[in-house]
Amino acid sequence: MQFLSLIARNRLAAAGGIVLVIVIALALISPLLPLPDPDVTDTANRFLLPGAEGHLLGTDHLGRDLAARLMDGTRLSLAVGFAAAFFAAFFGAAIGIIAGYFGGRTDNLIMRAVDMLMAFPYILLALAIVAALGPGLVNALIAVAAVNIPFFARNIRGVTVGLANKEFVDAARLAGLGHTRIILTEILPNVIPVIVIAMSTTIGWMILETAGLSFLGLGSQPPQADLGSMLGEARGALITNPHTSIVPGAMILVIVMGINLLGDGVRDALDPRLRSGALTRPMAATQVRRKGPVPASEDAEAVLELQGLQTQFHVKDRIYKAVGGVSIKVAPGECLGVIGESGSGKSVTALSVMGLVASPPGVITGGAARYKGEDLVGAPYDHLRRLRGDRVAYIFQDPLATLHPLYKVGDQLAEAILVHHKVGKAEARRRAVDLLKQVRIPNAQSRADSYPHEMSGGMRQRVGIAMALANDPDVIIADEPTTALDVTVQAQILSLLNDLRRERGLAIVFITHDFGVVAQLCDRVAVMYAGRIVETGPTEAVLDAPAHPYTARLIACVPELGGGRRRLEAIPGLPPAVDRLEPGCAFAPRCLKAQDACRQGEIPLEGPGAREVRCLYPETELKSEGVA
Amino acid sequence: MTGYILKRLLSAIPVLFGITVIVFLIMAMIPGDPALAILGAYATPENVEKINRDLGLDAPLVARYFIWLGNMLTGDFGTSFSLNRPVIDEVLDRFGATLLLAGTSFILCAILGIAAGVVSAARQYGWADKGITFAVLLGISIPSFFLGMMMILIFAVELRWFPVSGMRMAYGGGGFADVANHLVMPAIALAVVATGVVARLSRSAMLEVLRQDFIRTARAKGVGEGRVIWGHALRAAMVSIIPVLGIQAGFVLSGAVYIEMVFQWPGVGRMLVDAILKRDILLVQGGVVFVAACYVLFNIAVDVAQSLLDPRIKT
């Protein structure tokens, strides 16, 4: 039922289905309609035009009624096409299930044969079969069905292989069921949707192919005529009497188009990946639909300043408030750590700055992101592009996925330079090699010609850092750059970043879920929870005496080497879903100290000096002389 | 690389072998006396005796296969009785014309299909995407032979832009301009379906790639959107588009049969259909084996192209 309603919702598929039903109904009831006999020739009235008296669509080269012949031919074409699809599906599925279920030698032998058959351009095989069996509609049907069997066999085999090792099949085997029983009761029901998809996408082809063989004179033989042979017979009079060709040709087009529309609908309805609408591509820059006023710049010193930034994901009728008003700032040479669990919105915050949040579904809905005082939210794409990688650069997590797999790393580095600087290729290459040396990659000259998959994880991450440094930016936003690495490599990368910061006066925003990393590298830290900052302040002060209960619990989760027998306390519960945030403190449901007041109204982020906390009952009272 | 090509060529040998077995088995399905079936209307007693001797038709099935295979390996595909000339000569004469037609169509479908797919993906849900999606649907639903006939009506009969047919030789005759003039309509008619399929698959391959992290990296570097789409994304998408092109080459080669009939193109496809109608079995057999073998070799070229494009494939 759900399946039918999905098809009905797809208007194109429904239209295709309706057209198809009408055509099939017409073809079926046509013997009952008051049409002339399709086989009666009347050479005196040949080539009558459509609309002639008694002949709705005119007559053909032998004076036979075209409308009657069209209905007859349609019935024949549909019957042959569906029959071919059925036989191809039946035998193909049988072969595929046997190969996939039994595996091993059987599978090998069958699939070799299938591969051989697929090595032919399909019509050559069909022609060879028709040549052997002789022209005729039944033989054409056999030929078309036969050449499509390998396609079904291969598809169904793939699905069956996946099923054959599932627990429920093993259970059936252990229960002592025979192979036939297992195939019919356990495998087949799971394979049928795949068969239906494969049929719905190939049946149009089958009708085209049988019509094609008939068109060539190898299918139905006179006086019997399907749509293909009607078209083939009419070809001789194409120039003098085009209507005799157009009538059957247009009918084939209508049928096949209807089937294809419906088939696409069936595929979309049965393929869950397409159903969820997952396949949308992100645009060049995140969409901006800003409500409310743009806040004015507050800090002229800051090189990067976020003010009440809000980013949401609009998925169907749900709104996920991934970033719910974040304000942070970084001065030149300063390193700010942004810490939080996965899903707390820290990465989305970082990506929002340069409009890199995937959109759709991402939308920036409020606040400002200022680079040297200039708001980048809603800035023209071209301006944004010129700043990206040049003034504000990113380092991403998992460099195997974030580096282009098919470009040499040297070329990827050179490209970062070339998009912002007018230099020659040789010069860009020289600088790229220099960058690789700076991030301490040995044999930089030859390493520049490596592909990402040829490097280790640590080396790839260094390439990622080199790429961020390519244009000597003012700000680097590093999104968990060391998470995928082992501890020694992580330490090297961190000290490398620290050196670069001191040498070049870089501002760094370092996103992580690791307090150890924050302690090592960051001057200040901001703790995020459910899309908002709950505590911020100088790293040492926050780590020594966390004020927000969440920060405290988060720190308690970190095991400490030689730290005695302190119990590691996991935080009970899960972070809230950001599409259904309750009023008040988002952490309240998991907080041991939560009072009724915590669940009401907006709780501000405030504090007397460098430290601020979003909590009514903080763990420690903040003093105004918070040491930086 | 040379080693990889050699390896692929060697792996083609069993496939070629399998092709000959399949064709042979299909032809062995012909009921009745094989000599009479092969000769058909030309079954004079002398011919029957000669063909029985040449092809070992009174020998058992397996022996017959190896005699036939041995003959082919020495370049002897038998004699066409309806044309009264060696099969291989006829096939080679015709193959050039088919290659010209199918090759042109293939290049057209690759370039237009990929371009349409990329534009469609880059403008997802926009007007260009909707227009292309509709055109693609129309393209893969229209029978190529019907399309060819309609093109003749419109562009040859009404507008008189191109000749109706009358291509005699794909090479020679009226020179390049004449050949090109004859080629335009059949090449387009043949390319339409494959273009639609390539466009569809390119679109989904591009959508898949555009969501990848390395595309975000390119954008974060400040690479312009044109270069992101036509460079970074397309380059990665080509890895899944190339195999589709290999399959489409088979469809183009297949569709050439219809188009050659519609436009009276002097290629292998028309030869095969004529041969079937005249029951010239040896000509069908030889033609099918020859074209299928060429297709297998073409697919090796596709694999090699793929390995050049994707450094992750071990060569």
Side-chain angles (χ1 to χ4, degrees):
Chain A
M1 267 312 98
Q2 196 201 354
F3 169 73
L4 283 180
S5 75
L6 269 167
I7 289 193
R9 210 180 302 157
N10 185 336
R11 263 179 296 162
L12 281 175
I18 291 169
V19 167
L20 208 57
V21 166
I22 292 174
V23 169
I24 292 174
L26 270 179
L28 287 180
I29 61 162
S30 65
L32 306 174
L33 297 178
L35 289 168
D37 187 323
D39 292 330
V40 170
T41 59
D42 176 9
T43 39
N45 285 318
R46 48 203 293 250
F47 293 131
L48 290 184
L49 288 174
E53 206 192 326
H55 300 288
L56 187 62
L57 295 174
T59 57
D60 73 356
H61 59 292
L62 295 174
R64 297 175 291 193
D65 182 62
L66 261 180
R69 288 188 71 72
L70 180 71
M71 285 302 122
D72 254 28
T74 303
R75 197 161 55 236
L76 204 54
S77 276
L78 284 172
V80 172
F82 276 89
F86 175 77
F87 285 122
F90 181 81
F91 289 107
I95 292 170
I97 289 176
I98 289 172
Y101 178 76
F102 290 103
R105 263 248 195 81
T106 322
D107 183 29
N108 217 328
L109 205 68
I110 291 177
M111 292 326 286
R112 277 288 154 79
V114 164
D115 285 346
M116 300 283 176
L117 285 170
M118 287 188 117
F120 283 90
Y122 73 90
I123 206 177
L124 283 187
L125 205 55
L127 287 180
I129 293 171
V130 172
L133 301 177
L137 191 55
V138 175
N139 294 343
L141 190 161
I142 294 173
V144 169
V147 300
N148 279 292
I149 286 176
F151 166 78
F152 280 94
R154 187 181 270 189
N155 256 348
I156 304 298
R157 178 209 168 251
V159 181
T160 312
V161 166
L163 289 171
N165 299 314
K166 285 271 165 65
E167 297 80 4
F168 61 89
V169 176
D170 288 338
R173 266 197 210 115
L174 289 174
L177 296 186
H179 290 313
T180 326
R181 248 327 261 293
I182 296 179
I183 287 177
L184 288 180
T185 59
E186 306 292 335
I187 305 272
L188 192 61
N190 287 297
V191 171
I192 283 196
V194 185
I195 301 178
V196 172
I197 294 183
M199 269 182 85
S200 69
T201 51
T202 47
I203 201 160
W205 271 111
M206 308 256 194
I207 289 177
L208 273 184
E209 284 162 22
T210 42
L213 287 178
S214 288
F215 172 79
L216 297 174
L218 306 176
S220 66
Q221 303 295 314
Q224 185 194 41
D226 68 355
L227 294 173
S229 43
M230 279 179 78
L231 197 55
E233 283 173 25
R235 194 163 66 89
L238 171 66
I239 293 167
T240 49
N241 290 285
H243 73 279
T244 55
S245 300
I246 293 174
V247 166
M251 183 55 109
I252 303 180
L253 175 60
V254 167
I255 292 174
V256 176
M257 197 146 164
I259 289 176
N260 282 339
L261 280 172
L262 187 61
D264 289 353
V266 169
R267 196 197 51 206
D268 290 357
L270 289 181
D271 192 329
R273 208 171 53 114
L274 290 169
R275 182 163 47 191
S276 65
L279 275 185
T280 49
R281 55 105 194 63
M283 296 190 300
T286 312
Q287 279 178 298
V288 174
R289 284 202 294 272
R290 194 154 47 179
K291 294 160 200 141
V294 181
S297 177
E298 286 161 7
D299 189 339
E301 294 281 287
V303 62
L304 189 70
E305 185 184 16
L306 306 190
Q307 298 165 295
L309 189 70
Q310 295 182 22
T311 305
Q312 305 177 339
F313 292 105
H314 294 191
V315 182
K316 289 197 181 146
D317 39 4
R318 289 216 161 153
I319 293 177
Y320 296 85
K321 293 176 182 163
V323 179
V326 165
S327 304
I328 50 177
K329 55 192 175 193
V330 203
E334 188 185 32
C335 178
L336 171 74
V338 178
I339 196 161
E341 291 169 278
S342 358
S344 60
K346 50 196 194 309
S347 291
V348 181
T349 306
L351 292 172
S352 298
V353 176
M354 284 285 131
L356 290 170
V357 177
S359 176
V363 188
I364 298 176
T365 51
R370 298 185 184 277
Y371 163 74
K372 290 192 172 166
E374 173 203 9
D375 186 15
L376 298 179
V377 172
Y381 165 72
D382 208 51
H383 183 64
L384 207 55
R385 184 191 72 70
R386 255 177 276 150
L387 290 176
R388 283 176 179 177
D390 188 40
R391 297 296 92 216
V392 180
Y394 282 86
I395 306 171
F396 297 108
Q397 192 186 349
D398 185 12
L400 188 57
T402 53
L403 292 174
H404 196 293
L406 306 177
Y407 289 142
K408 293 172 182 169
V409 294
D411 293 343
Q412 301 195 43
L413 280 171
E415 187 188 33
I417 298 162
L418 286 169
V419 290
H420 296 294
H421 296 279
K422 280 196 173 139
V423 295
K425 280 211 165 148
E427 170 64 11
R429 158 94 188 181
R430 195 190 58 72
R431 287 198 208 172
V433 172
D434 270 357
L435 284 165
L436 290 176
K437 282 181 190 154
Q438 278 181 44
V439 293
R440 289 166 217 152
I441 286 182
N443 306 324
Q445 193 73 39
S446 64
R447 270 322 205 170
D449 287 326
S450 297
Y451 290 97
H453 71 278
E454 296 167 338
M455 306 180 109
S456 68
M459 285 297 149
R460 278 196 292 265
Q461 194 54 274
R462 282 161 205 258
V463 173
I465 294 173
M467 202 134 80
L469 295 173
N471 296 301
D472 209 351
D474 300 320
V475 184
I476 283 187
I477 299 176
D479 188 358
E480 308 214 27
T482 57
T483 307
L485 306 177
D486 63 60
V487 187
T488 44
V489 183
Q490 183 175 326
Q492 291 173 7
I493 302 266
L494 290 180
S495 73
L496 178 69
L497 275 174
N498 210 16
D499 293 351
L500 290 167
R501 166 164 78 111
R502 293 189 200 294
E503 284 165 22
R504 301 190 179 196
L506 260 177
I508 299 180
V509 177
F510 199 96
I511 292 158
T512 181
H513 55 252
D514 185 344
F515 270 109
V517 172
V518 170
Q520 206 177 333
L521 189 68
C522 302
D523 306 310
R524 285 189 303 117
V525 63
V527 183
M528 270 190 89
Y529 188 77
R532 316 188 80 173
I533 290 175
V534 293
E535 176 164 10
T536 173
T539 308
E540 239 173 275
V542 173
L543 288 187
D544 286 349
H548 197 284
Y550 174 66
T551 317
R553 303 294 302 254
L554 209 54
I555 293 172
C557 290
V558 182
E560 223 171 308
L561 208 59
R565 295 203 192 87
R566 182 168 62 90
R567 262 188 70 184
L568 290 182
E569 304 241 17
I571 307 177
L574 290 169
V578 284
D579 59 331
R580 286 180 310 244
L581 284 179
E582 305 287 334
C585 175
F587 187 63
R590 302 168 77 186
C591 184
L592 301 173
K593 301 171 70 182
Q595 311 283 326
D596 283 349
C598 297
R599 300 192 178 88
Q600 287 155 13
E602 178 80 11
I603 299 162
L605 178 68
E606 41 182 24
R611 289 192 67 180
E612 288 174 320
V613 64
R614 195 189 292 278
C615 184
L616 298 176
Y617 309 102
E619 303 273 328
T620 39
E621 215 46 55
L622 297 183
K623 298 184 197 77
S624 54
E625 62 276 335
V627 190
Chain B
M1 185 42 70
T2 327
Y4 178 73
I5 296 174
L6 275 177
K7 215 165 70 190
R8 292 297 293 117
L9 282 174
L10 281 178
S11 73
I13 289 173
V15 179
L16 291 171
F17 187 73
I19 280 174
T20 59
V21 172
I22 290 168
V23 173
F24 181 79
L25 286 178
I26 290 173
M27 291 305 163
M29 289 193 305
I30 301 174
D33 183 353
L36 291 180
I38 289 170
L39 290 172
Y42 304 89
T44 59
E46 306 88 75
N47 276 345
V48 170
E49 196 195 330
K50 181 178 181 307
I51 200 161
N52 271 332
R53 200 178 53 237
D54 286 358
L55 303 177
L57 289 181
D58 25 17
L61 198 67
V62 178
R64 261 165 63 196
Y65 169 72
F66 282 105
I67 293 172
W68 177 63
L69 184 67
N71 287 347
M72 276 197 305
L73 289 177
T74 56
D76 175 12
F77 282 61
T79 304
S80 156
F81 285 90
S82 67
L83 300 169
N84 200 20
R85 70 183 295 211
V87 166
I88 190 67
D89 292 359
E90 180 68 13
V91 171
L92 286 177
D93 275 0
R94 300 280 204 134
F95 191 62
T98 298
L99 205 58
L100 178 70
L101 174 62
T104 312
S105 287
F106 179 70
I107 292 168
L108 274 180
C109 90
I111 295 175
L112 295 179
I114 292 173
V118 171
V119 169
S120 203
R123 303 252 176 280
Q124 194 187 15
Y125 304 136
W127 284 110
D129 184 29
K130 284 178 184 154
I132 288 171
T133 305
F134 180 75
V136 162
L137 182 75
L138 201 64
I140 59 175
S141 301
I142 195 165
S144 60
F145 40 93
F146 179 55
L147 176 66
M149 287 163 71
M150 292 303 106
M151 286 175 75
I152 289 177
L153 265 186
I154 296 168
F155 298 110
V157 178
E158 285 298 320
L159 299 173
R160 298 187 176 278
W161 287 357
F162 302 106
V164 172
S165 62
M167 179 74 184
R168 261 174 296 278
M169 292 285 284
Y171 23 76
F176 177 78
D178 182 55
V179 171
N181 212 21
H182 278 91
L183 186 59
V184 174
M185 283 205 298
I188 292 176
L190 179 53
V192 163
V193 178
T195 306
V197 177
V198 172
R200 248 184 186 201
L201 277 140
S202 303
R203 178 180 185 271
S204 59
M206 283 294 287
L207 288 179
E208 193 70 51
V209 166
L210 279 169
R211 295 150 35 83
Q212 306 280 321
D213 285 348
F214 59 81
I215 295 300
R216 187 185 60 195
T217 308
R219 286 176 174 154
K221 281 201 287 191
V223 176
E225 195 55 15
R227 211 179 138 86
V228 168
I229 301 274
W230 294 95
H232 290 245
L234 180 56
R235 178 75 165 74
M238 279 310 282
V239 171
S240 32
I241 296 175
I242 291 269
V244 175
L245 289 181
I247 294 168
Q248 286 312 305
F251 279 87
V252 168
L253 212 48
S254 294
V257 175
Y258 304 124
I259 297 300
E260 287 178 6
M261 291 300 283
V262 171
F263 290 92
Q264 302 288 306
W265 191 265
V268 179
R270 220 174 103 207
M271 177 201 84
L272 284 175
V273 175
D274 288 345
I276 292 171
L277 292 173
K278 288 180 190 151
R279 313 227 23 89
D280 191 340
I281 301 299
L282 290 180
L283 189 53
V284 177
Q285 215 174 12
V288 169
V289 168
F290 184 86
V291 177
C294 290
Y295 180 56
V296 169
L297 294 179
F298 176 80
N299 268 320
I300 292 176
V302 171
D303 283 351
V304 172
Q306 180 80 331
S307 77
L308 286 175
L309 205 69
D310 189 348
R312 290 167 301 182
I313 293 176
K314 286 215 171 69
T315 55

